[in-house]
Amino acid sequence: MNSSKASEYMYHAEDSAMSGYLYKKTRDDRWQKRWFETNGVYLTYYKSRKMEKLLAALSLPQVGEIKLVPPEEDPERQGGLFTLELNTRIYTLRAKSDQEAQLWVMTLNKLRVDGLNQGSGSISSADKPSITAMEMGVRSGESTDAPVTDW
């Protein structure tokens, strides 16, 4: 497995698995540092690398466009910015570098297409783009009683 301590992310090419810290922009324009990882066709995130509590899980086949934000469109000019489109909302994430963001975007798009090609969960407009922690098969000790929805 290729890993980089400086950027705190890991990528496993054989199964397009990736994990690492990203900053997630909140609805009130604050940035939250969260531990993200791919889990099959799901993108999951936790408060920290300890992964004690699953905060959210997003089914990638239900996501729209996943793309890099060009440097000239980055209001903070820090680089590493990318977005995920889900229904009518655009989620903004920031990696530590443009190269890391590009790897995330390529990996997430590959997993999204793989999921669509495998027909994982036929998607209808009534489907909610979320799952419960129980359905994720989360690690023992994690809470499984509440739906994971507030992305």
Side-chain angles (χ1 to χ4, degrees), residues 7 20-25 31-34 36 69-71 73-84 91-98 100-101 104:
S7 59
Y21 280 106
L22 296 172
Y23 289 86
K24 177 180 144 327
K25 196 167 200 173
W31 289 99
Q32 295 177 324
K33 185 177 181 180
R34 298 290 184 245
F36 283 80
V69 174
E73 293 179 24
D74 179 358
E76 297 169 20
R77 303 279 190 252
Q78 292 182 11
L81 206 60
F82 63 101
T83 59
L84 292 102
Y91 295 88
T92 304
L93 300 170
R94 186 178 300 279
K96 294 202 187 255
S97 69
D98 289 335
E100 188 177 325
W104 275 103

Side-chain angles (χ1 to χ4, degrees), residues 1-2 10-19:
M1 184 177 295
N2 298 330
M10 292 175 271
Y11 177 71
H12 191 258
E14 287 78 27
D15 57 5
S16 297
M18 190 160 184
S19 62

Side-chain angles (χ1 to χ4, degrees), residues 55-92:
L55 297 177
L58 183 65
S59 174
L60 292 170
Q62 294 179 348
V63 170
E65 190 172 24
I66 304 169
K67 66 177 186 173
L68 290 168
V69 174
E72 62 273 8
E73 293 179 24
D74 179 358
E76 297 169 20
R77 303 279 190 252
Q78 292 182 11
L81 206 60
F82 63 101
T83 59
L84 292 102
E85 181 183 297
L86 182 61
N87 298 327
T88 59
R89 186 167 172 204
I90 305 291
Y91 295 88
T92 304

